[in-house]
Amino acid sequence: MQGRYARMSDMNLFADFEKRIKTTLEGLELIKAQETPVDLARVTVEPPRDQSHGDVATNAAMVLSKPLGTNPRALAEIIAEALRGDADVSEVSVAGPGFINIRLSTGYWQQLLSAMVSEGLNYGRSKVGAGHKANVEYVSANPTGPMHVGHCRGAVVGDALANLMDFAGYDVTKEYYINDAGSQIDVLARSVFLRYREALGETIGEIPSGLYPGDYLIPVGEALAAEYGPRLHAMPEEEWLPIVKEKSIEMMMALIRDDLAALNVHHDVFYSERTLHANGAQRIRQAINDLTFKGHVYRGTLPPPKGQLPEDWEDREQTLFRSTEVGDDIDRPLIKSDGSYTYFAADVAYFKDKFDRGYDEMIYVLGADHGGYVKRLEAVARAVSDGKAKLTVLLCQLVKLFREGEPVKMSKRSGNFVTLRDVVDEVGRDAVRFMMLYRKSSEPLDFDFAKVTEQSKDNPVFYVQYAHARCASVFRQAKDAFPDLDLATVDLASAAAEISDPNELQLVAKLAEYPRIVEAAAIAQEPHRLAFYLYDLASSFHSHWNKGKENPELRFVNDKNRQLSIARLGLVHAVACVLKSGLAITGTAAPEEMR
RNA sequence: GGUCCCAUAGCUCAGCAGGAUAGAGCGCAGGAUUCCUAAUCCUGAGGCCGAUGGUUCGAAUCCAUCUGGGAUCACCA
């Protein structure tokens, strides 16, 4: 058995057969006879659209017919004949315009299942990302208050993408950029100072407009009062401001980390924008010098904005990044007319820092409202890394909240917005996480509080978790049926090789898609594909379970047939592992029971 | 006005490094079941993949233009 598994060059069935087919092609006389080497890059091996066609399909004949100067059907017949020599192939046929459909032997499926069981939770891991260092930056909410529901989607998508890429072999860092350097931090500090005075017993009345009114700043004021007493009050602003800033940022970040933890989001690196500004903005100066050295920086003026001219528009000379030469629509200011650095300048320095830390793939997960920022970030990547680093921006479209079909209204002004914590507390982190992934991120998402907590098959979160719980339930039943069976020591991997019912082999085929889905989703940076796959797998499992209602022979546990039951436990275990591993990537729990 | 995202069944959406008869859920129409392995199950009808051109043996998928929806435009962060 080990020997058989060793022959499978890859746990990814399709990758395995791609290699086999390409090897077969290279061995064909017709191909060896060509003077110029034949390019096999466009040959793909995929699951056929319709299962009745077979288990594996390849377009080889259609892609190669032109360079070989033959017609696709005839070529397909030649290739098909060669593939029939593979012991794991039970049937090869040619269909349509020249597709080659391959049906695999029962033995192959059995060995594959056996290997899946052996791999357990590692089944599906890939090496496609090996050798790549990826930095996934997400959330990066301003440290001026608790996280708002609008941050949820980016947080979940970024986190799941990072998990997914890790599973696909990338060396991944989850990073959070703390915007702790801008003028909004001054506003924060002044708002907190008011709360500090309040904590000292002063009556502050209504919070002036332009300051943050939220109650969450009260504890910061109290902490300052407890720590400094009235001393801050006696200081001039330039003295108390840094102290209050420091404390405010620290406490706001603690708040945000708590919010993130509630969502099961954990970053590896929290990178402070202030470190770029430290020591006379050393990092930023270096980054700009670097760009200047490469000829990307000049002093000049920008053309006025197109369309409606702002009333306060005036022509000013600034230090500009010639981003138009690296794909941007307009050159971008690095230094303001008053000599201070723009936010964008810090971003250049931040990107350079990431590049210098050795990342070759930077991913920015942003809200759709930052769409206008994408081109300049890409320009930065090209200029700073000389095109060596890949930068991708994932734009998440907005989430609309509903309650029983009615849109939830939010007013930011009153400080009375829906927080991330409100949502997590009400529906649970699993529902939030899974539902945020159950849509392509470039598509707007409707989130209904009632629907996502519904305990029915109409709710994908419940449906997938329920499938996992059912798997656990099978094991509990097995224990009842065979009290002497020691599940800890029984060799499920070997036992699973006896599965032969076509319905069950279909389930194995569904499991066989997992590695392919992982790779495709990681490469496309689309974690939602995994969520859809899990739903699909759960659906196959439930459907098979339902067949057991009609036909007790198909039930997993049959107390009259111990050996068959154990073999089926192997299958159920494989299903449970894939569900659990996939759910873990989405950041959702895989419960043992649903009560 | 420029840029980006989107348009697929009645509804909500998958499908996209081009492939065969375009899928799922809900809803709808029929049928089964009161059983229990755990929150019913099975079957069916729904389509000019926004429009028009182009690339190709082959396009929902790639390119261009257009239409209709959303986002964005700054010495803000």
Side-chain angles (χ1 to χ4, degrees), chain A residues 49 66 99 101 182 184 316 336-337 343 368 439-440 442 455 457 466 470 476 528 545 548 555:
Chain A
R49 187 176 296 254
K66 203 171 187 180
F99 282 99
N101 292 321
Q184 87 279 9
R316 290 168 282 226
K336 303 181 203 171
S337 51
Y343 175 81
R439 185 110 318 167
K440 212 175 4 181
S442 55
Q455 301 255 313
K457 70 178 285 276
Y466 182 30
R470 259 185 172 167
R476 288 191 292 269
H528 75 275
W545 173 286
R555 296 186 185 184

Coordinates of all heavy atoms in Angstrom, one line a residue, chain A residues 49 66 99 101 182 184 316 336-337 343 368 439-440 442 455 457 466 470 476 528 545 548 555, chain B residues 3 5-6 12-16 19-20 25-26 37-41 57-58 71-72 75 77:
Chain A
R49 N -16.8 18.9 -16.6 CA -18.0 19.6 -16.2 C -19.0 18.7 -15.7 O -19.7 18.9 -14.7 CB -18.5 20.5 -17.4 CG -19.6 21.4 -17.0 CD -19.9 22.2 -18.2 NE -18.8 23.1 -18.6 CZ -18.8 24.4 -18.4 NH1 -19.8 25.0 -17.8 NH2 -17.8 25.1 -18.8
K66 N -2.8 21.8 -33.5 CA -2.3 22.8 -34.4 C -0.8 22.7 -34.6 O -0.3 22.6 -35.7 CB -2.7 24.2 -34.0 CG -2.7 25.2 -35.1 CD -3.3 26.5 -34.7 CE -3.5 27.5 -35.8 NZ -4.1 28.8 -35.4
F99 N -11.9 16.3 -26.4 CA -11.6 16.1 -25.0 C -11.2 14.7 -24.8 O -11.8 13.8 -25.4 CB -12.8 16.4 -24.2 CG -13.1 17.9 -23.9 CD1 -14.0 18.5 -24.7 CD2 -12.3 18.5 -23.0 CE1 -14.2 19.9 -24.5 CE2 -12.5 19.9 -22.8 CZ -13.5 20.6 -23.5
N101 N -11.4 12.0 -21.9 CA -12.0 11.8 -20.6 C -11.4 10.5 -20.0 O -11.4 9.5 -20.7 CB -13.5 11.7 -20.7 CG -14.1 13.0 -21.1 OD1 -13.7 14.0 -20.6 ND2 -15.1 12.9 -21.9
G182 N -1.2 60.9 11.9 CA -1.8 62.1 11.2 C -2.5 63.0 12.2 O -2.5 62.9 13.4
Q184 N -5.6 63.2 12.6 CA -6.7 62.7 13.3 C -6.3 62.2 14.7 O -7.1 62.1 15.6 CB -7.4 61.5 12.5 CG -6.8 60.1 12.7 CD -5.5 59.9 11.9 OE1 -5.0 60.9 11.3 NE2 -5.0 58.7 11.8
R316 N 0.6 75.3 -6.9 CA 1.7 75.4 -5.9 C 2.8 74.5 -6.4 O 2.5 73.4 -6.9 CB 1.2 74.9 -4.5 CG 0.3 75.9 -3.9 CD -0.3 75.2 -2.7 NE -1.4 74.3 -3.1 CZ -2.6 74.3 -2.5 NH1 -2.9 75.0 -1.5 NH2 -3.5 73.4 -2.9
K336 N 4.4 68.4 1.2 CA 3.4 69.5 1.1 C 4.1 70.9 0.9 O 5.3 71.0 1.2 CB 2.5 69.6 2.3 CG 1.8 68.3 2.6 CD 0.9 68.5 3.9 CE 0.6 67.1 4.5 NZ 0.0 67.3 5.8
S337 N 3.4 71.9 0.6 CA 4.0 73.2 0.3 C 4.6 73.8 1.6 O 5.4 74.6 1.6 CB 3.0 74.1 -0.3 OG 1.8 74.2 0.4
Y343 N 0.8 61.9 3.6 CA 0.5 60.5 4.1 C 1.1 59.5 3.1 O 1.7 58.5 3.4 CB -1.0 60.3 4.1 CG -1.4 58.9 4.5 CD1 -1.4 58.4 5.8 CD2 -1.8 58.0 3.4 CE1 -1.8 57.2 6.1 CE2 -2.2 56.7 3.7 CZ -2.2 56.3 5.0 OH -2.5 55.0 5.3
A368 N -13.6 49.3 -0.7 CA -13.8 49.8 -2.0 C -13.7 51.3 -2.1 O -13.3 51.8 -3.2 CB -15.2 49.4 -2.5
R439 N -19.1 35.3 -0.3 CA -19.4 36.2 -1.5 C -18.0 36.6 -2.0 O -17.1 36.8 -1.2 CB -20.2 37.4 -1.0 CG -20.6 38.3 -2.1 CD -22.1 38.3 -2.3 NE -22.6 36.9 -2.2 CZ -23.9 36.6 -2.1 NH1 -24.8 37.5 -2.0 NH2 -24.2 35.3 -2.1
K440 N -17.9 36.8 -3.3 CA -16.7 37.3 -3.9 C -16.5 38.7 -3.3 O -17.4 39.5 -3.1 CB -16.9 37.4 -5.4 CG -15.7 37.2 -6.2 CD -16.0 37.2 -7.7 CE -17.4 37.5 -8.2 NZ -17.5 37.5 -9.7
S442 N -15.2 41.3 -4.4 CA -15.5 42.5 -5.3 C -16.9 42.7 -5.5 O -17.3 43.5 -6.3 CB -14.8 42.2 -6.6 OG -15.2 41.0 -7.2
Q455 N -31.1 28.4 12.3 CA -30.6 27.1 12.3 C -31.3 26.2 11.3 O -32.2 25.4 11.6 CB -30.9 26.5 13.7 CG -30.2 27.2 14.8 CD -29.0 26.5 15.4 OE1 -29.1 25.3 15.7 NE2 -27.9 27.2 15.6
K457 N -31.1 24.6 6.9 CA -30.2 24.4 5.8 C -30.1 25.5 4.9 O -29.2 25.6 4.0 CB -30.6 23.1 5.1 CG -31.9 23.3 4.3 CD -32.3 22.0 3.6 CE -31.4 21.8 2.3 NZ -31.9 22.5 1.2
Y466 N -22.9 21.9 10.5 CA -23.7 20.8 10.8 C -23.1 19.5 10.2 O -23.2 18.4 10.8 CB -25.1 21.1 10.3 CG -26.2 20.0 10.5 CD1 -26.1 19.2 11.6 CD2 -27.2 19.9 9.6 CE1 -27.1 18.2 11.8 CE2 -28.2 18.9 9.8 CZ -28.1 18.1 10.9 OH -29.1 17.2 11.1
R470 N -22.2 16.2 12.2 CA -22.8 14.9 11.8 C -21.7 13.9 11.7 O -21.9 12.7 12.1 CB -23.5 15.0 10.4 CG -25.0 15.1 10.6 CD -25.7 15.0 9.3 NE -27.1 14.9 9.5 CZ -28.1 15.1 8.6 NH1 -27.8 15.4 7.4 NH2 -29.4 14.9 8.9
R476 N -19.7 8.8 17.3 CA -20.4 8.5 18.6 C -21.3 7.2 18.4 O -21.3 6.3 19.3 CB -21.2 9.7 19.0 CG -20.4 10.8 19.6 CD -21.2 11.9 20.3 NE -22.1 12.6 19.4 CZ -21.8 13.8 18.7 NH1 -20.6 14.3 18.9 NH2 -22.6 14.4 17.9
H528 N -13.1 33.3 -1.0 CA -14.5 32.9 -1.0 C -14.6 31.5 -1.7 O -15.6 30.8 -1.5 CB -15.3 33.9 -1.7 CG -15.1 34.0 -3.2 ND1 -14.1 34.6 -3.8 CD2 -15.8 33.3 -4.2 CE1 -14.2 34.5 -5.2 NE2 -15.2 33.7 -5.4
W545 N -25.9 11.1 3.3 CA -26.5 10.8 4.6 C -28.0 10.5 4.4 O -28.5 9.6 4.9 CB -26.2 12.0 5.5 CG -26.9 11.9 6.9 CD1 -28.3 12.1 7.1 CD2 -26.3 11.6 8.1 NE1 -28.5 12.0 8.4 CE2 -27.3 11.7 9.1 CE3 -25.0 11.4 8.5 CZ2 -27.1 11.5 10.5 CZ3 -24.8 11.2 9.9 CH2 -25.8 11.2 10.8
G548 N -29.1 7.2 3.3 CA -29.1 6.2 4.4 C -30.5 6.2 5.1 O -30.8 5.2 5.8
R555 N -26.0 3.4 5.4 CA -25.6 4.1 6.6 C -24.2 3.8 7.0 O -23.7 2.7 6.7 CB -26.6 3.7 7.8 CG -28.0 4.2 7.5 CD -28.9 4.0 8.7 NE -30.2 4.3 8.3 CZ -31.3 4.3 9.1 NH1 -31.1 4.0 10.4 NH2 -32.4 4.7 8.7
Chain B
rU3 P -10.5 56.7 -18.2 OP1 -9.7 56.1 -19.2 OP2 -12.0 56.7 -18.3 O5' -10.2 56.1 -16.7 C5' -8.9 56.1 -16.3 C4' -8.9 55.7 -14.8 O4' -9.6 56.7 -14.0 C3' -9.6 54.4 -14.5 O3' -8.7 53.3 -14.7 C2' -9.9 54.6 -13.0 O2' -8.7 54.4 -12.2 C1' -10.3 56.0 -12.9 N1 -11.7 56.2 -13.1 C2 -12.5 56.0 -12.0 O2 -12.1 55.7 -10.9 N3 -13.9 56.2 -12.1 C4 -14.5 56.6 -13.3 O4 -15.7 56.8 -13.3 C5 -13.6 56.8 -14.4 C6 -12.3 56.6 -14.3
rC5 P -11.4 47.1 -12.5 OP1 -10.5 45.9 -12.5 OP2 -11.9 47.6 -13.8 O5' -12.6 46.8 -11.6 C5' -12.4 46.3 -10.3 C4' -13.8 46.2 -9.5 O4' -14.3 47.6 -9.4 C3' -14.9 45.5 -10.3 O3' -14.8 44.1 -10.1 C2' -16.1 46.1 -9.6 O2' -16.3 45.5 -8.3 C1' -15.7 47.5 -9.4 N1 -16.1 48.4 -10.6 C2 -17.5 48.8 -10.6 O2 -18.2 48.5 -9.7 N3 -17.9 49.6 -11.6 C4 -17.1 49.9 -12.6 N4 -17.5 50.7 -13.6 C5 -15.7 49.5 -12.6 C6 -15.3 48.7 -11.6
rC6 P -15.4 43.2 -11.3 OP1 -15.1 41.8 -11.0 OP2 -14.9 43.7 -12.6 O5' -16.9 43.4 -11.3 C5' -17.7 42.9 -10.2 C4' -19.1 43.4 -10.2 O4' -19.1 44.8 -10.4 C3' -19.9 43.0 -11.4 O3' -20.5 41.7 -11.3 C2' -21.0 44.1 -11.4 O2' -22.0 43.8 -10.4 C1' -20.2 45.3 -11.0 N1 -19.8 46.1 -12.2 C2 -20.8 46.9 -12.9 O2 -22.0 46.8 -12.4 N3 -20.5 47.6 -13.9 C4 -19.2 47.7 -14.3 N4 -18.9 48.4 -15.4 C5 -18.2 46.9 -13.7 C6 -18.5 46.1 -12.7
rU12 P -31.7 40.4 -6.8 OP1 -31.5 41.7 -6.2 OP2 -31.4 40.0 -8.1 O5' -31.0 39.3 -5.8 C5' -31.1 39.5 -4.4 C4' -30.2 38.5 -3.7 O4' -30.7 37.1 -4.0 C3' -28.8 38.4 -4.3 O3' -28.0 39.4 -3.8 C2' -28.3 37.0 -3.8 O2' -28.0 37.0 -2.5 C1' -29.6 36.2 -4.1 N1 -29.7 35.5 -5.4 C2 -29.0 34.3 -5.5 O2 -28.5 33.8 -4.6 N3 -29.1 33.8 -6.7 C4 -29.7 34.3 -7.9 O4 -29.7 33.7 -8.9 C5 -30.3 35.6 -7.7 C6 -30.3 36.1 -6.5
rC13 P -26.6 39.8 -4.5 OP1 -25.9 40.8 -3.6 OP2 -27.0 40.2 -5.9 O5' -25.8 38.4 -4.5 C5' -25.0 38.1 -5.5 C4' -24.6 36.6 -5.3 O4' -25.8 35.8 -5.7 C3' -23.5 36.1 -6.1 O3' -22.3 36.4 -5.5 C2' -23.8 34.6 -6.1 O2' -23.4 34.0 -4.9 C1' -25.3 34.6 -6.2 N1 -25.8 34.4 -7.6 C2 -25.8 33.2 -8.2 O2 -25.3 32.2 -7.5 N3 -26.2 33.0 -9.4 C4 -26.7 34.0 -10.1 N4 -27.2 33.9 -11.3 C5 -26.8 35.3 -9.5 C6 -26.3 35.5 -8.3
rA14 P -20.9 36.3 -6.3 OP1 -19.9 36.9 -5.4 OP2 -21.1 36.7 -7.7 O5' -20.7 34.7 -6.2 C5' -20.3 34.1 -7.4 C4' -20.2 32.6 -7.1 O4' -21.5 32.0 -7.3 C3' -19.2 31.9 -8.1 O3' -17.9 32.0 -7.7 C2' -19.8 30.5 -8.1 O2' -19.4 29.8 -6.9 C1' -21.3 30.8 -8.1 N9 -21.9 30.9 -9.4 C8 -22.5 32.1 -9.9 N7 -22.9 31.9 -11.1 C5 -22.6 30.6 -11.5 C6 -22.8 29.8 -12.6 N6 -23.4 30.3 -13.7 N1 -22.3 28.6 -12.6 C2 -21.7 28.1 -11.5 N3 -21.4 28.7 -10.3 C4 -21.9 30.0 -10.4
rG15 P -16.8 32.5 -8.6 OP1 -15.5 32.3 -8.0 OP2 -17.2 33.8 -9.1 O5' -16.9 31.5 -9.9 C5' -16.6 30.1 -9.7 C4' -17.1 29.3 -10.9 O4' -18.5 29.6 -11.1 C3' -16.4 29.8 -12.2 O3' -15.2 29.0 -12.4 C2' -17.4 29.4 -13.3 O2' -17.3 28.1 -13.7 C1' -18.7 29.7 -12.5 N9 -19.3 31.0 -12.8 C8 -19.3 32.1 -12.0 N7 -20.0 33.1 -12.6 C5 -20.5 32.6 -13.8 C6 -21.2 33.2 -14.8 O6 -21.7 34.4 -14.8 N1 -21.5 32.4 -15.8 C2 -21.1 31.1 -15.9 N2 -21.4 30.4 -17.0 N3 -20.3 30.5 -15.0 C4 -20.1 31.3 -13.9
rC16 P -13.8 29.8 -12.4 OP1 -12.8 28.8 -12.7 OP2 -13.7 30.6 -11.3 O5' -14.0 30.7 -13.7 C5' -13.7 30.2 -15.0 C4' -13.0 31.3 -15.7 O4' -13.9 32.4 -15.9 C3' -11.8 31.8 -15.0 O3' -10.6 31.6 -15.7 C2' -12.1 33.3 -14.7 O2' -11.0 34.1 -15.1 C1' -13.3 33.6 -15.4 N1 -14.4 34.2 -14.6 C2 -14.8 35.6 -14.9 O2 -14.3 36.2 -15.8 N3 -15.7 36.1 -14.1 C4 -16.2 35.4 -13.1 N4 -17.2 36.0 -12.3 C5 -15.8 34.1 -12.8 C6 -14.9 33.6 -13.5
rG19 P -12.8 27.9 -20.0 OP1 -13.4 28.7 -19.1 OP2 -12.0 26.7 -19.6 O5' -13.9 27.4 -21.1 C5' -14.6 26.3 -20.8 C4' -14.8 25.5 -22.2 O4' -13.6 25.7 -23.0 C3' -15.0 24.0 -22.0 O3' -16.2 23.7 -22.6 C2' -13.7 23.4 -22.6 O2' -14.0 22.2 -23.2 C1' -13.4 24.4 -23.6 N9 -12.0 24.4 -24.0 C8 -10.8 24.6 -23.3 N7 -9.7 24.6 -24.0 C5 -10.2 24.4 -25.3 C6 -9.4 24.3 -26.5 O6 -8.2 24.4 -26.7 N1 -10.3 24.2 -27.6 C2 -11.6 24.1 -27.5 N2 -12.3 23.9 -28.7 N3 -12.3 24.1 -26.4 C4 -11.5 24.3 -25.3
rA20 P -17.6 24.0 -22.0 OP1 -18.0 25.3 -22.4 OP2 -17.7 23.5 -20.6 O5' -18.5 23.0 -22.9 C5' -18.6 23.2 -24.3 C4' -18.9 21.8 -24.9 O4' -17.9 20.9 -24.7 C3' -20.2 21.2 -24.3 O3' -20.9 20.6 -25.4 C2' -19.7 20.1 -23.4 O2' -20.5 19.0 -23.3 C1' -18.4 19.7 -24.0 N9 -17.4 19.3 -23.1 C8 -16.8 20.0 -22.1 N7 -15.9 19.3 -21.4 C5 -16.0 18.0 -21.9 C6 -15.4 16.8 -21.5 N6 -14.5 16.7 -20.6 N1 -15.7 15.7 -22.2 C2 -16.6 15.9 -23.2 N3 -17.3 16.9 -23.6 C4 -16.9 18.0 -22.9
rG25 P -29.7 23.3 -4.9 OP1 -29.9 22.1 -4.1 OP2 -30.6 23.5 -6.1 O5' -29.9 24.5 -4.0 C5' -29.3 24.6 -2.7 C4' -29.6 25.9 -2.1 O4' -28.9 27.0 -2.9 C3' -31.0 26.4 -2.1 O3' -31.8 25.8 -1.0 C2' -30.9 27.9 -1.9 O2' -30.6 28.3 -0.6 C1' -29.7 28.1 -2.9 N9 -30.2 28.4 -4.3 C8 -30.2 27.5 -5.3 N7 -30.6 28.0 -6.4 C5 -31.0 29.3 -6.1 C6 -31.5 30.4 -6.8 O6 -31.8 30.4 -8.0 N1 -31.7 31.6 -6.1 C2 -31.3 31.7 -4.8 N2 -31.6 32.9 -4.2 N3 -30.8 30.7 -4.0 C4 -30.7 29.6 -4.7
rC26 P -33.3 25.5 -1.1 OP1 -33.7 24.8 0.1 OP2 -33.5 24.9 -2.5 O5' -33.9 27.0 -1.2 C5' -33.9 27.8 0.0 C4' -34.4 29.2 -0.4 O4' -33.6 29.7 -1.4 C3' -35.8 29.3 -0.9 O3' -36.8 29.3 0.1 C2' -35.8 30.6 -1.7 O2' -35.8 31.7 -0.8 C1' -34.3 30.5 -2.3 N1 -34.4 30.0 -3.6 C2 -34.8 30.8 -4.7 O2 -35.2 32.0 -4.4 N3 -34.8 30.3 -5.9 C4 -34.4 29.1 -6.2 N4 -34.5 28.6 -7.4 C5 -34.0 28.2 -5.1 C6 -34.0 28.7 -3.9
rU37 P -32.7 5.8 13.2 OP1 -32.7 4.5 12.4 OP2 -33.0 5.8 14.6 O5' -31.3 6.5 13.0 C5' -30.4 6.8 14.1 C4' -29.5 8.0 13.6 O4' -28.9 7.6 12.4 C3' -30.3 9.3 13.3 O3' -29.7 10.3 14.1 C2' -30.0 9.5 11.8 O2' -29.8 10.8 11.5 C1' -28.8 8.7 11.6 N1 -28.6 8.2 10.2 C2 -27.3 8.5 9.6 O2 -26.4 9.1 10.2 N3 -27.2 8.1 8.3 C4 -28.1 7.4 7.6 O4 -27.8 7.0 6.5 C5 -29.4 7.1 8.3 C6 -29.5 7.6 9.5
rA38 P -30.4 11.0 15.1 OP1 -29.5 11.4 16.1 OP2 -31.6 10.2 15.5 O5' -30.9 12.3 14.2 C5' -32.1 12.9 14.5 C4' -31.9 14.3 14.1 O4' -30.8 14.9 14.8 C3' -31.6 14.5 12.6 O3' -32.4 15.5 12.1 C2' -30.1 14.7 12.6 O2' -29.7 15.5 11.5 C1' -29.9 15.4 13.9 N9 -28.6 15.2 14.5 C8 -27.8 14.0 14.5 N7 -26.7 14.2 15.1 C5 -26.6 15.5 15.5 C6 -25.7 16.2 16.2 N6 -24.6 15.8 16.6 N1 -26.0 17.6 16.4 C2 -27.1 18.0 15.9 N3 -28.1 17.4 15.3 C4 -27.8 16.1 15.1
rA39 P -32.3 16.5 11.2 OP1 -32.5 16.2 9.7 OP2 -31.1 17.2 11.5 O5' -33.5 17.3 11.8 C5' -34.6 17.7 11.1 C4' -34.7 19.2 11.1 O4' -34.1 19.7 12.3 C3' -34.0 19.8 9.9 O3' -34.7 21.0 9.5 C2' -32.7 20.3 10.5 O2' -32.3 21.5 9.9 C1' -33.1 20.7 12.0 N9 -32.0 20.5 12.9 C8 -31.2 19.4 13.0 N7 -30.3 19.5 14.0 C5 -30.6 20.8 14.6 C6 -30.1 21.5 15.7 N6 -29.1 21.0 16.5 N1 -30.7 22.6 16.0 C2 -31.7 23.1 15.3 N3 -32.3 22.5 14.2 C4 -31.7 21.3 13.9
rU40 P -36.0 21.1 8.8 OP1 -35.9 22.2 7.7 OP2 -37.0 21.2 9.8 O5' -35.9 19.7 8.1 C5' -35.9 19.5 6.7 C4' -35.9 18.0 6.5 O4' -37.2 17.5 6.9 C3' -35.7 17.6 5.1 O3' -34.3 17.6 4.8 C2' -36.4 16.3 5.1 O2' -35.5 15.3 5.7 C1' -37.6 16.5 6.0 N1 -38.7 17.0 5.3 C2 -39.4 16.1 4.4 O2 -39.1 14.9 4.3 N3 -40.5 16.6 3.8 C4 -41.0 17.9 3.9 O4 -42.0 18.2 3.2 C5 -40.2 18.8 4.7 C6 -39.2 18.3 5.4
rC41 P -33.8 18.1 3.4 OP1 -32.3 18.2 3.5 OP2 -34.6 19.2 3.0 O5' -34.1 16.8 2.5 C5' -33.5 15.6 2.7 C4' -34.2 14.5 1.9 O4' -35.6 14.4 2.3 C3' -34.2 14.8 0.4 O3' -33.0 14.5 -0.2 C2' -35.4 14.0 0.0 O2' -35.0 12.6 -0.1 C1' -36.4 14.1 1.1 N1 -37.3 15.2 0.9 C2 -38.4 15.0 0.1 O2 -38.6 13.9 -0.4 N3 -39.3 16.0 -0.1 C4 -39.2 17.2 0.4 N4 -40.1 18.1 0.2 C5 -38.0 17.5 1.3 C6 -37.2 16.5 1.5
rC57 P -7.8 29.8 -35.4 OP1 -6.7 28.8 -35.6 OP2 -8.1 30.8 -36.4 O5' -9.2 28.9 -35.1 C5' -9.9 28.4 -36.2 C4' -10.9 27.4 -35.7 O4' -10.2 26.2 -35.2 C3' -11.8 27.8 -34.6 O3' -12.9 28.5 -35.1 C2' -12.2 26.6 -33.9 O2' -13.2 25.9 -34.6 C1' -10.9 25.7 -34.0 N1 -10.0 25.8 -32.9 C2 -10.3 25.1 -31.7 O2 -11.4 24.5 -31.7 N3 -9.5 25.2 -30.6 C4 -8.4 25.9 -30.7 N4 -7.6 26.0 -29.6 C5 -8.0 26.6 -31.9 C6 -8.8 26.5 -32.9
rG58 P -13.4 29.9 -34.4 OP1 -14.6 30.4 -35.0 OP2 -12.2 30.7 -34.2 O5' -13.8 29.3 -32.9 C5' -15.0 28.5 -32.8 C4' -15.3 28.3 -31.4 O4' -14.4 27.2 -30.9 C3' -15.0 29.4 -30.4 O3' -15.8 30.5 -30.5 C2' -14.9 28.6 -29.1 O2' -16.1 28.1 -28.7 C1' -14.0 27.4 -29.6 N9 -12.6 27.8 -29.4 C8 -11.8 28.2 -30.4 N7 -10.6 28.5 -30.0 C5 -10.6 28.2 -28.7 C6 -9.5 28.2 -27.7 O6 -8.4 28.5 -27.9 N1 -10.0 27.8 -26.5 C2 -11.3 27.4 -26.2 N2 -11.5 27.0 -24.9 N3 -12.3 27.3 -27.1 C4 -11.8 27.7 -28.3
rA71 P -22.3 55.1 -4.2 OP1 -22.7 55.4 -2.8 OP2 -22.6 56.0 -5.3 O5' -20.7 54.8 -4.3 C5' -20.1 54.0 -3.3 C4' -18.6 53.8 -3.6 O4' -18.6 53.2 -5.0 C3' -17.8 55.0 -3.7 O3' -17.4 55.5 -2.4 C2' -16.6 54.6 -4.5 O2' -15.7 53.8 -3.8 C1' -17.3 53.7 -5.6 N9 -17.7 54.4 -6.8 C8 -18.9 55.0 -7.2 N7 -18.8 55.6 -8.4 C5 -17.5 55.5 -8.7 C6 -16.8 55.9 -9.9 N6 -17.3 56.6 -10.9 N1 -15.5 55.6 -9.9 C2 -14.9 54.9 -8.9 N3 -15.5 54.5 -7.8 C4 -16.8 54.8 -7.8
rU72 P -17.3 57.0 -2.1 OP1 -17.0 57.2 -0.7 OP2 -18.4 57.7 -2.8 O5' -16.0 57.4 -3.0 C5' -14.7 56.9 -2.6 C4' -13.7 57.1 -3.7 O4' -14.2 56.6 -4.9 C3' -13.4 58.6 -4.0 O3' -12.5 59.2 -3.1 C2' -12.8 58.4 -5.4 O2' -11.5 58.0 -5.4 C1' -13.7 57.3 -6.0 N1 -14.9 57.8 -6.8 C2 -14.6 58.3 -8.1 O2 -13.5 58.3 -8.6 N3 -15.7 58.7 -8.7 C4 -17.0 58.8 -8.3 O4 -17.9 59.2 -9.0 C5 -17.2 58.3 -6.9 C6 -16.1 57.9 -6.2
rC75 P -4.0 68.6 -3.8 OP1 -4.1 70.0 -4.0 OP2 -3.5 67.7 -4.9 O5' -3.2 68.3 -2.4 C5' -2.5 67.1 -2.2 C4' -1.7 67.4 -0.9 O4' -0.9 68.6 -1.1 C3' -2.6 67.6 0.3 O3' -2.2 66.8 1.3 C2' -2.4 69.1 0.6 O2' -2.3 69.2 2.0 C1' -1.0 69.4 0.0 N1 -1.0 70.8 -0.4 C2 -0.2 71.7 0.3 O2 0.5 71.2 1.2 N3 -0.2 73.0 -0.1 C4 -1.0 73.4 -1.1 N4 -1.0 74.6 -1.4 C5 -1.8 72.5 -1.8 C6 -1.8 71.2 -1.4
rA77 P -2.6 64.7 6.5 OP1 -1.9 65.6 7.4 OP2 -2.1 64.4 5.2 O5' -2.8 63.2 7.1 C5' -3.1 62.9 8.4 C4' -4.0 61.7 8.4 O4' -5.0 61.8 7.4 C3' -3.4 60.3 8.2 O3' -2.8 59.8 9.3 C2' -4.6 59.5 7.8 O2' -5.4 59.2 8.9 C1' -5.4 60.5 6.9 N9 -5.0 60.4 5.5 C8 -4.1 61.2 4.8 N7 -3.9 60.8 3.5 C5 -4.8 59.7 3.4 C6 -5.1 58.9 2.3 N6 -4.6 59.0 1.1 N1 -6.0 57.9 2.5 C2 -6.5 57.8 3.7 N3 -6.3 58.5 4.8 C4 -5.4 59.5 4.6

